[in-house]
Amino acid sequence: MSYYPEKVKTLIEKLGQLPGIGPKSAERIVNYILEEDVSIISELAENIVAVKKDVKLCERCFNLSETPLCSICTDEKRDSILCVVEEVKDLILIEKTGFNGIYHVLGGRIVPLEKTSISHLRIPQLIERLKRERISEVLIATSPTVEGENTAVYISEILKKRGIKHSRLAYGLPVGAEIEYVDTQTLKKSIEGRKFIY
Amino acid sequence: MSYYPEKVKTLIEKLGQLPGIGPKSAERIVNYILEEDVSIISELAENIVAVKKDVKLCERCFNLSETPLCSICTDEKRDSILCVVEEVKDLILIEKTGFNGIYHVLGGRIVPLEKTSISHLRIPQLIERLKRERISEVLIATSPTVEGENTAVYISEILKKRGIKHSRLAYGLPVGAEIEYVDTQTLKKSIEGRKFIY
């Protein structure tokens, strides 16, 4: 590192702090930046600043948005099923399945032994929405991990108290998997959740 | 992708063009950018622009530099061994070994069937330096690949004609490797280059 000019060093350090980028990748990226056209690199830098400046969270569902309400919340053709997810990236994955409901991004999950993890979640905002909006069903789409499951149970309790119909993503075999490689817990869940064909 | 706001989409595409960054990593980096403090992100963008603007190639050895001559070329304590490398990143690796000579960065290697590959190399500049500077030895440190070897042979011919003492990096076992995993060619080279102990 000390072999590089000061500015190169600084940039390698900063890039190395990005997720998934180690010191080696950071060096490669800096080499790319040094070799690429100045116009392309300036555009990249401008894009970074623009995203930071102009992309906010939707006031209603906390999806990413350049406007106060996101493109999903302003889409009048959406169903009244509200899908609760941990993060925006989960919302994106569910959108890709063709799901046509609306969302609520919690902004995390409940981590046991971390009391603050609940207070950081957008659960009050969810409750507020359930009062105001006409929601036919809440689909809890937190991850199938211990923490995601905890979060689902917590939200389920809230919804039960209010008599709101809700569901949870199904557990089962991942599509395309060989049964021999599926873990016992998943297999067990896929038997419990079996669908009768006849 | 179409599920993201326009600016996020653009940035994911641009980041995905950087070396070693796929679409998934690009998404993760954009998420990081969205969550991180605005000051940190602006600094990153400024750094990118600054590197592009202020970091040039050393006029003498073509190392990266913020000044006309790089820190190695202006270091008076360097030996007069000139190490020829393909790229700046090779120079950095050799610096890390504690090598205390000077360098000449070719800017590539000779690729067979690509005639232009020779004309892009900084070989005329190397010849010019050999005329002007007092060089005690040229160490050819191109890669141990077919192309690197070709380049080494080509440069060696030039140096022979001019009666300039020169050497090539040694082939042999990589330090720390188990012999059972070393390929036959390397093992053969390490036998040819064996050092007598007694």
Side-chain angles (χ1 to χ4, degrees):
Chain A
M1 281 290 290
S2 65
Y3 310 102
Y4 281 114
E6 212 48 53
K7 281 176 188 162
V8 174
K9 234 184 290 177
T10 312
L11 186 56
I12 291 176
E13 273 166 22
K14 282 204 203 295
L15 289 174
Q17 286 160 12
L18 297 178
I21 299 189
K24 278 274 167 192
S25 315
E27 271 188 68
R28 247 182 322 181
I29 293 172
V30 172
N31 276 315
Y32 169 90
I33 289 173
L34 286 162
E35 283 165 19
E36 196 50 90
D37 270 6
V38 66
S39 63
I40 291 177
I41 300 306
S42 320
E43 262 181 45
L44 173 66
E46 280 162 23
N47 274 139
I48 290 174
V49 173
V51 157
K52 195 64 200 166
K53 199 171 131 275
D54 301 332
V55 180
K56 309 278 177 211
L57 297 180
C58 169
E59 289 172 0
R60 183 169 166 239
C61 77
F62 304 98
N63 182 15
L64 298 177
S65 182
E66 294 181 40
T67 45
L69 286 180
C70 76
S71 56
I72 296 172
C73 282
T74 50
D75 179 356
E76 288 176 9
K77 294 201 183 96
R78 293 276 167 165
D79 304 329
S80 58
I81 301 179
L82 188 144
C83 179
V84 176
V85 294
E86 294 174 15
E87 302 287 357
V88 170
K89 55 180 178 286
D90 304 325
L91 178 159
I92 302 289
L93 289 171
I94 290 172
E95 273 295 283
K96 287 180 185 169
T97 68
F99 176 79
N100 197 43
I102 52 177
Y103 296 89
H104 190 81
V105 182
L106 290 174
R109 51 176 91 180
I110 298 172
V111 183
L113 306 178
E114 264 185 45
K115 279 193 182 163
T116 55
S117 67
I118 294 188
S119 61
H120 281 105
L121 297 186
R122 298 175 192 122
I123 290 176
Q125 292 91 328
L126 173 64
I127 294 171
E128 208 42 53
R129 286 184 67 183
L130 293 170
K131 284 182 197 161
R132 272 196 332 260
E133 298 175 30
R134 228 169 38 88
I135 307 289
S136 61
E137 173 191 341
V138 174
L139 165 55
I140 306 174
T142 52
S143 287
T145 57
V146 172
E147 295 175 354
E149 203 50 56
N150 275 344
T151 313
V153 169
Y154 186 87
I155 291 171
S156 172
E157 289 301 323
I158 291 172
L159 297 173
K160 263 186 220 160
K161 270 186 213 153
R162 285 169 175 73
I164 295 166
K165 185 175 164 189
H166 59 284
S167 57
R168 175 88 176 96
L169 287 181
Y171 280 108
L173 304 181
V175 176
E178 299 275 1
I179 287 193
E180 60 173 322
Y181 299 122
V182 172
D183 66 288
T184 314
Q185 278 308 309
T186 302
L187 202 53
K188 196 176 158 210
K189 293 275 187 185
S190 82
I191 294 168
E192 286 168 12
R194 68 192 179 282
K195 300 237 170 179
F196 288 96
I197 305 170
Y198 179 75
Chain B
M1 280 288 290
S2 65
Y3 310 102
Y4 282 113
E6 211 48 53
K7 280 176 188 160
V8 173
K9 234 185 290 178
T10 312
L11 186 56
I12 291 176
E13 273 167 20
K14 283 204 202 298
L15 289 173
Q17 286 160 13
L18 298 177
I21 299 189
K24 277 274 166 193
S25 314
E27 272 188 69
R28 248 184 319 183
I29 293 172
V30 172
N31 276 315
Y32 169 89
I33 289 173
L34 286 163
E35 282 165 18
E36 195 51 89
D37 269 6
V38 67
S39 63
I40 291 177
I41 300 305
S42 321
E43 261 181 46
L44 174 65
E46 279 161 25
N47 273 140
I48 290 174
V49 173
V51 157
K52 194 65 201 164
K53 198 171 133 274
D54 301 331
V55 180
K56 309 279 176 210
L57 296 180
C58 169
E59 289 173 0
R60 183 170 167 238
C61 78
F62 304 97
N63 182 16
L64 298 177
S65 182
E66 294 181 39
T67 45
L69 287 180
C70 75
S71 58
I72 295 171
C73 282
T74 50
D75 179 356
E76 287 176 9
K77 293 201 184 94
R78 292 276 167 163
D79 304 330
S80 57
I81 302 181
L82 187 143
C83 178
V84 175
V85 293
E86 294 174 15
E87 303 287 357
V88 170
K89 54 180 179 286
D90 305 325
L91 178 159
I92 302 290
L93 290 171
I94 291 172
E95 274 294 284
K96 288 179 184 168
T97 68
F99 175 79
N100 196 42
I102 52 176
Y103 295 89
H104 190 80
V105 182
L106 290 174
R109 51 176 89 181
I110 298 172
V111 183
L113 305 178
E114 264 186 46
K115 280 194 178 162
T116 55
S117 68
I118 293 187
S119 61
H120 281 104
L121 298 185
R122 298 175 193 122
I123 291 176
Q125 292 91 328
L126 173 63
I127 295 172
E128 208 43 53
R129 286 184 69 183
L130 294 170
K131 283 182 196 161
R132 273 196 331 261
E133 298 175 30
R134 229 169 39 86
I135 307 290
S136 62
E137 174 190 340
V138 174
L139 165 54
I140 306 174
T142 52
S143 286
T145 57
V146 172
E147 296 175 354
E149 203 51 56
N150 275 343
T151 313
V153 169
Y154 185 88
I155 291 170
S156 172
E157 289 302 322
I158 292 172
L159 298 173
K160 263 186 218 159
K161 272 187 211 151
R162 284 167 174 74
I164 295 164
K165 185 175 164 189
H166 59 284
S167 57
R168 175 88 177 97
L169 287 182
Y171 280 108
L173 304 181
V175 176
E178 299 276 1
I179 287 193
E180 59 172 322
Y181 300 121
V182 172
D183 65 289
T184 313
Q185 279 308 309
T186 303
L187 202 54
K188 195 176 157 212
K189 294 275 188 186
S190 83
I191 293 168
E192 286 168 10
R194 68 193 180 281
K195 301 236 169 180
F196 288 96
I197 306 168
Y198 179 75

